[in-house]
């Protein structure tokens, strides 16, 4: 069940047409860029959670 967490970054970045836009801009970065960069730490956390959950079994 915890392995489903690993699919969230895939689903979040699956449709580029959804996040290919400029607004809202964050610290001068268009949405397209900061949305993808946001998934880097989110993916790391989700991977860590899935790893720890799988390790306990």
């Amino acid at each position: 069940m915890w392995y489903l967490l690993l699919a969230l970054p895939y689903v979040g970045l699956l449709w580029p047409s959804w996040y290919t836009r400029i607004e809202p801009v964050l610290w001068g970065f268009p949405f397209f860029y900061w949305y993808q960069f946001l998934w880097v730490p989110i993916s790391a956390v989700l991977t860590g959670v899935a790893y720890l959950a799988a390790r306990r079994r």
Side-chain angles (χ1 to χ4, degrees):
M1 185 70 177
W2 289 98
Y3 295 112
L4 293 176
L5 292 176
L6 300 176
L8 290 178
Y10 176 75
V11 172
L13 296 169
L14 186 61
W15 295 281
S17 61
W18 184 78
Y19 56 87
T20 305
R21 56 188 162 133
I22 296 174
E23 297 292 331
V25 176
L26 181 67
W27 299 313
F29 290 97
F31 181 75
F32 178 76
Y33 292 110
W34 70 257
Y35 178 77
Q36 292 180 76
F37 284 125
L38 180 65
W39 275 103
V40 172
I42 292 173
S43 299
V45 169
L46 292 175
T47 303
V49 170
Y51 171 75
L52 291 175
R55 189 176 165 198
R56 289 182 182 170
R57 290 183 178 195

